[in-house]
Amino acid sequence: MLTSTSRKILKSEEWWKEPALDLELEDNHLHFWYFDAEQRQYCTERFYDCLSKDELERADSFVFDKDRQYWKFFRAALRTILAYYRNINPA
């Protein structure tokens, strides 16, 4: 069970626009990430360069373009987040 002696909810103006480069997840800490799916329209193709051939093929299996775009966006976001923690390239 995770417990915390201090809880702080950040106001939206305190949210990161871009995360710190030296992220570390300490014991008994949680990091919550929020991505606005509507912001995907502002992503360049470079954002999706980290996706593997298999991931792109899976995205192509979605019937509706909106679902395909959502999946690609969140998959690339997940890879990016994990890369920050591991200090590696998301590709």
Side-chain angles (χ1 to χ4, degrees):
M1 181 170 125
L2 295 176
T3 60
S4 176
T5 56
S6 65
R7 294 181 184 179
K8 180 180 179 188
I9 304 297
L10 297 178
K11 299 176 190 164
S12 61
E13 61 269 11
E14 296 177 305
W15 292 354
W16 290 335
K17 300 299 181 212
E18 211 169 295
L21 295 177
D22 58 347
L23 287 176
E24 188 174 316
L25 192 57
E26 299 173 23
D27 289 343
N28 298 321
H29 281 78
L30 295 172
H31 291 177
F32 289 92
W33 291 83
Y34 172 80
F35 283 84
D36 183 354
E38 297 308 316
Q39 297 300 311
R40 74 188 187 289
Q41 63 187 337
Y42 302 111
C43 292
T44 64
E45 281 302 312
R46 185 168 182 213
F47 182 69
Y48 302 108
D49 285 348
C50 66
L51 298 177
S52 70
K53 180 182 173 189
D54 290 342
E55 288 169 319
L56 293 171
E57 287 174 1
R58 180 166 180 198
D60 288 339
S61 72
F62 286 93
V63 174
F64 300 108
D65 185 58
K66 183 177 181 180
D67 295 334
R68 183 175 21 263
Q69 296 306 319
Y70 276 123
W71 192 89
K72 284 174 53 178
F73 176 76
F74 286 111
R75 189 64 180 198
L78 175 63
R79 280 180 159 271
T80 301
I81 291 168
L82 294 175
Y84 272 113
Y85 284 100
R86 300 289 308 194
N87 196 24
I88 59 173
N89 185 316

